[in-house]
Amino acid sequence: MAEFFLELFSEEIPARMQAQAADHLAKIAGQALAPLQPHDIVTFHGPRRIALGATMSPETPSGETELRGPKRGAPAQALEGFLRKNNADRADLVEEGEHVLLRRTIAARPAADVILTDLARALAAFPWPKSMRWGQSGGFTWVRPLRRIVCLLDGEIVPIVLGPVTASNLSEGHRFLVPGAFEVSDAAQWHAELTRRCVVADAGKRRAMIAMRLDHEAQARGLAIVRDDALLDEVTGLVEYPVPMIGSIEQRFMTLPPEVRELSMKVNQRYFATRDATGAPAPHFAFIANITASDRGATIIAGNERVLRARLADAEHFWTQDRQHKLEDYLPKLKSVVFHAKLGTQFERAERIARLAREIAQQLGADSQSIDDAERAGLLCKADLVTGMVGEFPELQGIMGGYYAGGAVGAAIRTHYQPKGPSDDVPQGIVPCAVALADKLDTLREFFRIGETPTGSGDPYALRRAALGVVRIILENDLQLHLRSLLDDAVFDFIIERFRVKLRGEGKRFDVVNAILANTADDDLFRVQQCGDALESFIKTDDGANLLVAYRRGVNILRIENEKDGPHTGEVDESALVEGAEINLAIATHTLEARLSHAPHLDGPGVLDQRNFDVALKGLASLRSPVDAFFNDVTVNAEDPALRRNRLRLLAKLRDVMHRVADFSKLEG
């Protein structure tokens, strides 16, 4: 087997592209070198290089190929076209069966030849998200100027050419700490030499090293690093030799909201926030340098503190300016901010959300003060969009509104965008839930109204996420909300579809929801889920499983007989029932129907009217014994036509009563 190594060395690659580029490199090499059967493929990625190592055959296997050509006797033009396409002569053809065949002997190809041609051609079309040309590149593009290529097969250079660069055996270590080129003989020696030259080539190892060194540096000062995996990933792609450092924040900036301070550090400077021993925000920040310094980093830390001081001073200015006015004072400015060309301004949107939030809070049984708070929070929830702070840091919308409004209204504004994703928390409490639901339901209603609905290829307004947010808020807060009174059928069906998707994603049976919704106008998602869970549990029991089998048997009989001379519906003539089993089934069915609809002996509503689904399922379970006896002892298709018709009506009655609880025909499996 031959050892292959490839390194593509360039100017700094954006951190967000590095891991994906390594995956693309593995895929491209795997496809281009497939005839050599590469295996043990490993990739590396970092700020200035992507690399790949593999083991593969030294040459492709020899063999014969056979291509089927036109039919014998086909027009000459067809035969000439086939020969031209395959670069063959008539002497290469043989006639066999109905077609002419082109058989060729394929000679083995050295691996170096495959690399030089097939791999180089594939690499020239590398799928960078963005690429560029530079002085000497001509028509060749790369993510950043490509400086070196190392391409070795068993230690020998394979001189592939990409743009202005021809492969060699030279690479480079750290740009500043150990500058200059070095020779590469194989992947192991390359990796060891990079380590010696202050480059941690393995991205996973580099990430773990950054996390460990940050924690160690922070703990030495009695601090803890605020974990941020996305920031850690990005920093891993920015440095080759991580050196942790801790800077200080002026005490006056600690009065800023922590979100403002930490967002400025993260977005602008890639700094990590810290906490003190009590868990409170600490006046320090942590960051990773790419070099070691003779003064132990004092100059680097001072420079970063100076940059952060300027950033936080800007934030302090906006914080002070924004608070000179009440949040309500910003509302008129929303009249000049267009939300959507067909949906009006943000002010009009805020008014809709306010009305909807009030209606939802009323439905949820909130007291008068909470209802007023929900309406006010709905009206103010978009006001911070025109504040200076959110203009500078759009990521803080909602959060700043929460600070500026304060109290219960502020808490609702703060969380009204939640959940922003599948792992995000949902709002808690009636007022925050009412405002968050109003925001999402208004978005769904309005975009459906103007026909901007999601398609199979796109959802530009994130309506699926909004619908899933509605489902999560309702279910995770056990909210009993009648959605149909707030939405039209199209939007309600869209939310139900997201509800099914959620159940499917959780490994639950979504067909039980179909069974529940088929014969009921219930629009309370929390209750529908409870009923679905109860039905799923019921059909797992012995009674439920056997009753389902009997239901399907009866429905099949009805379907067949209805096709003959049906439909067989109408009242059952109880006086015409003959067998004891059919009499007992009629009594049991009639009793259950009365219990589901109303309860005369209790002088009150039936169990379904009381939304008592568990009792309804227990009633169904009581049918199992008479149903089993009916199918064991009674011949449905009796010779007497009147008797047969009456028994078919009894089966139809049984089916209809069961459908009062759930449409069992919707259950799969």
Side-chain angles (χ1 to χ4, degrees), residues 38-42 53-55:
H39 54 88
D40 298 334
I41 295 177
V42 293
T55 304

Side-chain angles (χ1 to χ4, degrees), residues 27 90 167 286 390 420 478 494 514 592 602 618 625 649:
K27 182 179 179 182
R90 284 178 178 271
V390 174
K420 296 179 181 177
D478 299 352
F494 182 72
N514 295 340
L592 178 59
L602 296 176
K618 288 179 181 177
S625 177
R649 287 181 175 181

Side-chain angles (χ1 to χ4, degrees), residues 630-647:
F630 177 82
F631 283 116
N632 287 334
D633 302 341
V634 177
T635 301
V636 176
N637 287 316
E639 293 183 0
D640 181 352
L643 185 58
R644 167 180 169 271
R645 186 164 52 251
N646 204 39
R647 287 173 177 173

Side-chain angles (χ1 to χ4, degrees), residues 25-75:
L25 180 61
K27 182 179 179 182
I28 288 172
Q31 292 173 345
L33 304 177
L36 300 169
Q37 300 178 332
H39 54 88
D40 298 334
I41 295 177
V42 293
T43 59
F44 303 88
H45 60 85
R48 292 201 297 162
R49 69 197 83 216
I50 54 174
L52 174 145
T55 304
M56 58 192 185
S57 299
E59 61 181 15
T60 62
S62 60
E64 287 189 348
T65 63
E66 181 179 283
L67 293 175
R68 193 172 71 173
K71 286 187 175 180
R72 296 170 66 176

